[in-house]
C-alpha cells in the first residue's frame, strides 16, 4: 500500500518592533533575565493593554507579502490556560477577526511550482521562557519574551513532504525578512513552527488521525521530525504497531523521537472571548495604502530585474537579491552612480569582507547606498585610491559620512597639485643626493628609493604616474 | 450541569471544592441557568454582539520603548525567586 | 468593625477614602482577598494620582468584598463591615458617615457603591463608562466596571468626580479629552422635565424602599419634574446578562492569581498543579470560586454561542432599549436595592444575595450609562448625563 502525507503548518514569527505589543517594555532579544519586564508582563493587576501600532503595520505587511486579504476591522481576544510562562494565565491573541485571511505562497517543488494556501495570519503576544535548574530541581521563569509581538501564520493542509515544508519555510523566511517584518532567526526563536500531520492511503479522501508536533528548533530538526512522524504513522496504519490518537507531541531532537505532551496547551477549552480592554483596530484606505506603498519588490522580481536591467551575472544578482539590505544599498548606489557591475563587486567583495570581520550578517548592512555610489565614483575618477577608499568604506560602516568630505578631512584625496609634488621632490632629493648620483651613474633602481620616500611624504595620496614623471624630469634637470 | 462537568471546571480553573461546596455550586449554577433562560425569549438573530459600550476604534500607541521598574522591584513580592527569576516546582515538559 | 483594611496616618488635607480595589503605593491593596493580603503595588491608580495632585489626602483603604463581586463587602477576607446592630454597611460608607473622610472613591463592578450609598443615606455617582480611567484598579469585569464617587451630598460628589474625570492614554477605553471635559463643571438643574419610574422594579422591593421612591417622586414633582410609572420587561434582563459577562471576565481576570509571581502561595504542594490549585483554593472565598466557575462554563465551547455571545447581544438590546427610553424620558427612577437594611447574617447565609440585588444595579453596569444613588433610590440617565443626574439627586436630598 502506498501512503500520502498531509501537512499543515503553524508558523510563529516575532515581529521586528522596539517595544512589546501591549506595553512599552523592550522587545529586543538577549536582555538579562527579567530585565525587559513591567508589572503587566508579570501579571500584576492594574495596567491596561494599548496596542503598538507598528505591530499592526507589520501584520498587514506580512499579509500583503503572502497575498492575503486584510481584514479592515480586526479585533483582539483572550485565550485562557494555566502555565507558569503565561503570567496572566491568558494570552491576548486574535480568534474572531484575525488581521489577514486567505493568502497563498508559491514554492518550487520537484514537480514544478505549487501554491500553499494561507488560512489566516493573526497577531498575538509571545509567552515567557522557563529554565530548568537541576541543583534545586525547580523551574525558573523569565518574562522577557512575554508580550513580545508575534504573528502566527496558519497554512491550509497543502504540504505533502518534508521537502515541501522546508521550501515553504524558506520562502516565508525570505519574504518576511525582505519586508523587514522579522529577522526570522530559528536559533533565537524568532521563527518557530508547529507541524500538523496525518497520513492516509494514497487516493483516499478521508484524512488520517492528525498529530501536532512542537519544539523543533531548526530546519533540520523539522525535517527529521516530519520523517520520524510519517514513519510512525505509516507503521501504525500498515502494521498496527500502535493506535494513533489526535494529540500534541513534543519533538526530542537528541533522541530523534516525538513524545506525547502531557500538559500546557493540550487541555483545550481555551475559553476565547473578545478583549473588553482593546478597541477594534480599523484599517482605513489611507493606512492600507501607506503600508502597500512601502512593500518591497518580491526578491525573485528584483533578481530578474538586476539581470535584465543592470546586466548583472545570474550568480551575482541572486547573491544581492538574497538580502534586502544588499538590494537597498545596491539600488541607492546605482541611483548616485550607475555602474551596476562595479557596485555589485564592491558589495560582494569589499562590503562582505567588512561584514565578516564584524561578525555581521548581510541583513545588518546599514551603509548609505548613495554614499557607496559616491565613493566608487571618487575611485574611478582618480580622486581617491583603493587604499584610501577601503578606509573610507570602513568608516561608512560606523556612521553615515559624506565620502568626499571625509577623504578631504583625513588626507585621502589624491594630490594633483604639481607644485606641491615638486616641492616634496626637491626636499627628498636634497636629503638623498646619494640616490641621485647612483641613478645618474646608471643604477636605474636608485630612483625607486626617491620615489618611495616622496610617496610616503605625500601620504600615498598622489597619482603614481604624475609623481614618476615629475621626479624623472627633476632629477634629469640637475 | 452535572458533577462531572463541575469537576472538569474545577480542574480547568485550578480550584478544588469540598463536597458541600460542590453541592452549593450545583444549586447555584442551576438557579443561574434557569434565570438565564429568560434571555432566550428575546430574538437576537439580527442583533450584533456588543463588546464595548463606547464605540471607539484605533486606540493605539507609537512603537516607543521605556523601562520604569527594576527587576528587583518586580520580584519583591515573589513567593519564591532565585537569581532574578521567579521560581516554581520543576515542570516535566 | 473592620472599616479599614489599611488606615492611613492622619493628615490635615481633606481626606478621601479608597476601597481596596484601587491600587496605591505605600499602602497595600488587597481587593478584600487573602490572595492579595499585604500586596504592594508598584504603581498607583490614575484616580489616586489625580486626587493627590488636587490636594486631597487619603484616609485609608476601606474594607471591600472579594474582587468587588459581592453584595456589600460580606465576602472580605478581612471581615465584613457591619454596624453595632449587625447591619451591613460598606467600609467606604462607614468612613464617610463616621467623619473620617469627605468622600469615597470605589470600584463599581456589581453595584456595591450604589447600594452602600442608598443604605447609608449618602449620594454616589457611577460615572459614564470611560470618563474615569481604570488604570490602576484591580480588574474584575473590565467591560462595565467603573470608578465611582460617594459623598454626603451631590455637590461634594461633583467636586471629587470633576477631579478624577479625565482622558487617560493608559486606559484604552478612556473617552477622548473633549468628551470627558464636557461633563465637568456645575451640577445642572432644570434640564430634566420627565422621569420614568420603573414600576415593576419598584414593586419588587419592600415597602420601605417603595416609600423612598414615593418621596423622591414627590420631591421631583415639587420641582416641576413630571414622573410617569412604566413597566419595563427589558431592563430586568440585565441581571442575568451582566452576571454572565461579569463572571466570565472575572474568571479570566482572576486567573492571574496563581501563587507564582506575587500574592498568596500555599505551603502545601509537591508539583506545579498542586501549587496552583492549593494556592487558589485556600485563598479565594466561595462566592469568588462560584463566580469563576460559572464564568468559565459560560465560555466553554458548548456554551459560548448560546450563553456568552447571547449575553453580548442582549447587552446591545438593553443599550438600544435604554436609548429609546431616553428619547421619551430624561431619566429612570428605580430602587438601588430591595430593602433599606440588611443584616450580616442574612446576607452571609444566602449566596444568591449579590445576584438577586443586582437586578437594580445591572442595567447601568451592563450599558455603561451613568447612575446616581441618593436618598435611598437610584436614577439612571443617558451617557454623559452625569451632572444632570446629580441635579436630580440634589432635589431629592433637599426633600430628604
Amino acid at each position: 500500500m502506498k501512503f500520502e502525507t498531509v501537512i499543515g503548518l503553524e508558523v510563529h514569527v516575532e515581529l521586528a518592533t522596539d517595544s512589546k505589543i501591549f506595553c512599552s517594555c523592550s522587545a529586543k532579544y538577549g536582555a538579562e533575565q527579567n530585565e525587559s519586564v513591567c508589572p503587566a508582563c508579570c501579571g500584576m493587576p492594574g495596567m491596561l493593554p494599548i496596542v503598538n501600532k507598528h505591530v499592526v503595520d507589520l501584520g498587514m505587511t506580512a499579509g500583503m507579502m503572502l497575498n492575503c486579504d486584510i481584514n479592515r476591522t480586526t479585533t483582539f481576544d483572550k485565550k485562557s490556560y494555566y502555565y507558569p510562562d503565561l503570567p496572566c494565565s491568558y494570552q491576548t491573541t486574535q480568534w474572531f477577526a484575525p488581521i489577514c485571511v486567505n493568502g497563498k505562497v508559491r514554492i518550487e517543488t520537484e514537480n514544478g511550482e505549487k501554491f500553499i494556501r494561507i488560512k489566516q495570519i493573526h497577531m498575538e503576544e509571545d509567552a515567557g521562557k522557563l529554565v530548568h535548574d537541576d541543583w534545586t530541581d525547580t523551574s525558573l521563569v523569565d518574562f522577557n519574551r512575554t508580550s513580545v509581538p508575534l504573528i502566527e501564520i496558519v497554512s491550509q493542509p497543502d504540504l505533502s513532504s518534508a521537502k515541501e515544508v522546508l521550501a515553504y519555510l524558506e520562502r516565508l523566511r525570505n519574504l518576511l525578512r525582505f519586508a523587514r517584518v522579522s529577522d526570522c532567526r530559528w536559533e533565537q526563536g524568532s521563527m518557530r513552527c508547529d507541524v500538523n500531520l496525518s497520513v492516509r492511503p494514497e487516493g483516499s479522501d478521508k484524512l488520517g488521525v492528525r498529530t501536532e508536533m512542537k519544539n523543533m528548533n531548526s530546519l533540520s530538526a523539522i525535517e527529521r521530525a516530519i520523517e520520524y512522524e510519517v514513519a510512525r504513522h505509516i507503521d501504525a496504519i500498515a502494521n498496527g504497531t500502535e493506535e494513533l490518537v489526535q494529540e500534541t507531541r513534543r519533538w526530542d531532537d537528541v533522541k530523534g523521537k516525538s513524545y506525547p505532551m502531557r500538559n500546557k496547551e493540550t487541555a483545550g477549552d481555551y475559553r476565547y472571548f473578545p478583549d473588553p480592554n482593546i478597541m477594534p483596530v480599523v484599517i482605513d484606505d489611507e493606512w492600507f495604502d501607506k503600508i502597500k506603498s512601502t512593500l518591497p519588490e518580491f526578491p525573485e522580481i528584483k533578481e530578474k530585474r538586476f539581470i535584465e536591467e543592470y546586466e548583472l551575472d545570474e550568480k551575482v544578482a541572486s547573491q544581492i537579491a538574497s538580502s534586502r539590505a544588499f538590494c537597498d544599498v545596491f539600488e541607492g548606489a546605482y541611483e548616485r552612480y550607475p555602474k551596476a557591475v562595479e557596485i555589485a563587486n564592491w558589495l560582494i567583495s569589499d562590503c562582505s569582507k567588512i561584514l565578516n570581520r564584524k561578525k555581521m550578517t548581510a541583513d545588518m548592512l546599514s551603509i548609505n547606498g548613495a554614499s557607496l555610489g559616491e565613493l566608487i565614483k571618487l575611485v574611478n575618477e582618480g580622486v581617491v585610491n583603493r587604499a584610501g577608499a577601503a578606509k573610507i568604506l570602513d568608516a561608512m560602516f560606523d556612521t553615515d559620512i559624506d565620502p568626499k568630505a571625509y577623504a578631504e578631512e583625513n588626507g585621502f584625496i589624491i594630490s594633483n597639485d604639481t607644485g606641491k609634488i615638486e616641492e616634496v621632490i626637491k626636499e627628498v632629493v636634497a636629503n638623498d643626493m646619494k640616490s641621485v648620483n647612483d641613478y645618474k651613474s646608471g643604477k636605474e633602481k636608485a630612483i625607486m628609493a626617491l620615489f618611495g620616500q616622496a610617496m610616503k611624504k605625500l601620504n600615498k595620496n598622489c597619482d603614481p604616474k604624475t609623481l614618476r614623471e615629475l621626479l624623472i624630469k627633476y632629477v634629469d634637470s640637475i | 450541569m452535572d458533577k462531572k462537568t463541575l469537576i472538569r471546571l474545577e480542574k480547568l480553573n485550578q480550584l478544588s471544592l469540598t463536597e458541600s461546596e460542590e453541592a452549593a455550586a450545583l444549586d447555584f449554577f442551576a438557579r443561574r441557568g434557569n434565570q438565564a433562560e429568560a434571555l432566550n425569549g428575546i430574538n437576537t438573530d439580527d442583533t450584533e454582539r456588543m463588546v464595548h459600550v463606547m464605540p471607539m476604534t484605533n486606540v493605539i500607541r507609537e512603537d516607543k520603548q521605556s523601562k520604569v521598574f527594576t527587576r528587583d522591584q518586580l520580584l519583591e513580592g515573589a513567593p519564591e525567586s532565585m537569581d532574578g527569576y521567579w521560581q516554581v516546582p520543576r515542570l516535566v515538559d | 468593625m473592620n472599616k479599614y483594611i489599611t488606615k492611613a496616618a492622619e493628615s490635615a488635607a481633606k481626606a478621601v477614602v479608597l476601597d481596596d480595589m484601587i491600587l496605591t503605593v505605600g499602602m497595600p491593596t488587597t481587593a478584600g482577598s487573602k490572595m492579595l493580603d499585604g500586596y504592594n503595588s508598584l504603581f498607583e491608580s490614575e484616580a489616586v494620582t489625580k486626587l493627590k495632585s488636587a490636594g486631597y489626602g487619603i484616609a485609608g483603604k476601606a474594607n471591600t468584598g472579594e474582587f468587588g463581586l459581592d453584595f456589600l463587602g460580606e465576602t472580605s477576607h478581612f471581615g465584613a463591615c457591619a454596624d453595632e446592630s449587625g447591619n451591613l454597611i460598606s467600609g467606604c460608607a462607614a468612613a464617610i458617615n463616621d467623619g473620617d473622610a469627605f468622600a469615597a472613591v470605589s470600584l463599581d463592578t456589581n453595584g456595591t457603591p450604589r447600594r452602600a450609598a442608598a443604605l447609608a443615606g449618602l449620594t454616589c455617582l457611577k460615572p459614564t463608562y470611560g470618563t474615569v480611567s481604570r488604570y490602576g484598579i484591580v480588574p474584575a469585569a473590565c467591560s462595565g466596571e467603573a470608578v465611582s464617587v460617594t459623598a454626603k451630598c451631590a455637590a461634594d460628589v461633583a467636586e471629587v468626580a470633576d477631579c478624577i474625570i479625565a482622558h487617560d492614554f493608559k486606559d484604552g477605553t478612556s473617552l477622548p479629552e473633549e468628551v470627558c471635559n464636557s461633563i465637568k463643571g456645575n451640577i445642572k438643574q432644570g434640564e430634566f422635565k420627565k422621569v420614568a419610574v420603573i414600576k415593576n422594579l419598584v414593586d419588587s422591593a419592600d415597602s420601605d424602599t417603595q416609600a423612598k421612591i414615593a418621596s423622591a417622586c414627590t420631591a421631583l414633582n415639587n420641582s416641576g419634574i413630571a414622573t410617569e410609572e412604566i413597566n419595563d420587561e427589558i431592563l430586568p434582563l440585565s441581571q442575568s446578562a451582566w452576571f454572565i459577562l461579569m463572571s466570565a471576565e472575572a474568571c479570566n481576570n482572576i486567573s492571574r492569581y496563581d501563587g507564582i509571581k506575587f500574592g498568596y502561595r500555599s505551603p502545601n504542594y509537591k508539583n506545579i498543579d498542586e501549587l496552583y490549585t492549593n494556592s487558589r483554593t485556600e485563598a479565594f472565598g466561595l462566592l469568588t470560586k462560584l463566580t469563576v466557575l460559572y464564568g468559565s462554563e459560560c465560555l466553554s465551547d458548548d456554551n459560548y454561542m448560546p450563553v456568552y455571545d447571547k449575553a453580548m447581544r442582549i447587552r446591545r438590546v438593553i443599550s438600544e432599549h435604554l436609548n429609546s427610553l431616553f428619547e421619551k424620558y430624561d431619566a429612570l427612577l428605580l430602587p438601588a436595592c430591595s430593602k433599606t437594611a440588611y443584616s450580616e447574617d442574612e446576607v452571609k447565609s444566602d449566596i444568591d444575595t449579590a445576584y438577586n440585588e443586582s437586578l437594580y444595579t445591572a442595567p447601568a453596569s451592563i450599558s455603561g450609562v451613568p447612575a446616581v444613588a441618593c436618598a435611598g433610590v437610584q436614577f439612571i440617565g443617558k451617557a454623559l448625563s452625569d451632572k444632570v443626574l446629580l441635579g436630580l439627586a440634589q432635589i431629592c436630598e433637599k426633600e430628604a
Side-chain angles (χ1 to χ4, degrees), chain B residues 15-66:
Chain B
L15 290 170
S16 169
L17 302 190
T18 63
E19 289 258 332
S20 67
E21 286 173 333
E22 279 177 350
L26 290 172
D27 288 350
F28 182 85
F29 292 164
R31 291 192 296 275
R32 296 299 85 80
N34 289 337
Q35 283 147 341
E37 277 300 311
L39 305 186
N40 296 327
I42 307 286
N43 185 324
T44 51
D45 293 349
D46 298 325
T47 308
E48 239 185 277
R49 65 186 194 180
M50 187 182 221
V51 177
H52 305 102
V53 293
M54 293 299 162
M56 287 195 283
T57 56
N58 293 4
V59 182
I60 49 184
R61 66 182 172 85
E62 292 302 314
D63 183 20
K64 287 229 175 71
Q65 178 252 313
S66 66

Side-chain angles (χ1 to χ4, degrees), chain B residues 14 16 31-32 42 48 80, chain C residues 269 277 281 310 316 352:
Chain B
Q14 302 285 4
S16 169
R31 291 192 296 275
R32 296 299 85 80
I42 307 286
E48 239 185 277
E80 276 181 71
Chain C
Y269 62 88
T277 305
T281 300
K310 181 78 186 181
R316 187 172 299 280
D352 280 357

